[in-house]
Amino acid sequence: MSDNGERAAFKARVDEVLLHFVEEEIDHLLAVDADLAAVADQLRIATSRGKRLRASFCYWGWRAAGQPDSDALVRAAAAMELVHAAAVVHDDLIDDSPLRHGLPTAHVALRTAVAASPRPSAAARSLAMLVGDLLMSLAGQLFTVCGLPAAYLSRARPLWAVLARELVAGECLEILRTGTRPDTAASLKVIRYKTAKYTVEHPLRIGGALGGASHDLREALSDYGVPLGEAFQLRDDLLGLFGDPCRTGKANADDIAAHRPTALLAQTWQEATATERAELGRLLGNGTPDEESLARVREIMHRTQAPARVEDMISGRVRAALDALEQTRLPADAARALSDLARAATVRLH
């Protein structure tokens, strides 16, 4: 998987696994009652898109342990994408985000299904929460029935508890720190637990554990995975405000409207003048800003050189990840693939 063609081929394998598994589960769901069709649609939408990076990292954690290609492992790796789908539905709900991949988010789309409810918005949010819960449950189910021997699965099962705990911890920290005084260290801790670990480190370690990786190899996978995961989210923070919404598929005012604790905002605040901080204070968390206000936020960020410093943070973390990779004895194909994935995760426009 050292080039775009091989990554695309792997993505197609994961897509096929998810399509068949989710459609089978939807059949069971609709057998309960046809009125669940709107919920089924959101399961399809949540699982039909994505770069499949998390599955890729799980796969190459397995291969790094010296294991051969395996369809059963691809199914186990696909479970990582169901974790991601669950996290996205919950995150959009928590953040009240209107768009994802250019489409209405689950809690927005489901309003049509509950239009007759006395409180349609609240009812739609409740349905979206349950969609996310079901996706997380399906992740565990797919992992369990992937076809790998039970002894292999038992090696990785404890890591699932760590993944879930740290993912929830990160989401909780973001909620607790939203609207507070911007602080880079606090923002980086949110990034590490909310996104970095479940995007790169945990899939890698789960793949490695399935493959019987040694303690030293698992530690090396963490040394690569944590900084790379942080770089991945720092890139997302930049794209969230400076990216093209037509490419990202998300509104680019969300972080400002919600006053989220991003490292980009913290770096801006650190170097802003008192006047600029007062301006930011009036704009942050005060509803969706208009284009003029958004342009002013970007102007302050550029004046303080915050985007450039975040770019430096990304570059430094990618270097740290690649250095860890170079210091670890891995099969050549795994080393090449993980190096390629480091670039794919951080050099992107969406």
Side-chain angles (χ1 to χ4, degrees), residues 31 37 59 62 108 179 210 244 286:
Y59 177 85
W62 162 271
V108 174
L210 289 170
D244 180 355
N286 194 26

Side-chain angles (χ1 to χ4, degrees), residues 34-98:
D35 283 351
L36 294 167
V39 172
D41 285 343
Q42 291 308 308
L43 292 175
R44 289 191 183 97
I45 291 169
T47 56
S48 64
R49 294 174 176 82
K51 306 175 188 70
R52 309 312 189 198
L53 284 174
R54 293 156 187 85
S56 297
F57 285 119
C58 184
Y59 177 85
W60 285 107
W62 162 271
R63 296 294 299 274
Q67 297 287 359
D69 180 56
S70 161
D71 287 339
L73 189 281
V74 172
R75 288 192 288 274
M80 301 295 105
E81 297 299 328
L82 292 174
V83 172
H84 176 53
V88 164
V89 171
H90 283 151
D91 196 47
D92 287 342
L93 177 60
I94 291 165
D95 293 342
D96 203 22
S97 297

Side-chain angles (χ1 to χ4, degrees), residues 220 222-225 227 319-329:
S222 289
D223 291 341
Y224 163 89
R319 284 196 302 272
L322 294 177
D323 286 347
L325 201 59
E326 290 176 5
Q327 294 169 19
T328 306
R329 295 185 63 180

Side-chain angles (χ1 to χ4, degrees), residues 231-256:
F232 172 88
Q233 183 56 44
L234 289 167
R235 174 62 64 205
D236 256 15
D237 289 349
L238 283 173
L239 291 173
L241 189 58
F242 294 99
D244 180 355
C246 293
R247 286 181 178 271
T248 64
K250 296 183 283 187
N252 61 6
D254 283 1
D255 288 348
I256 300 304

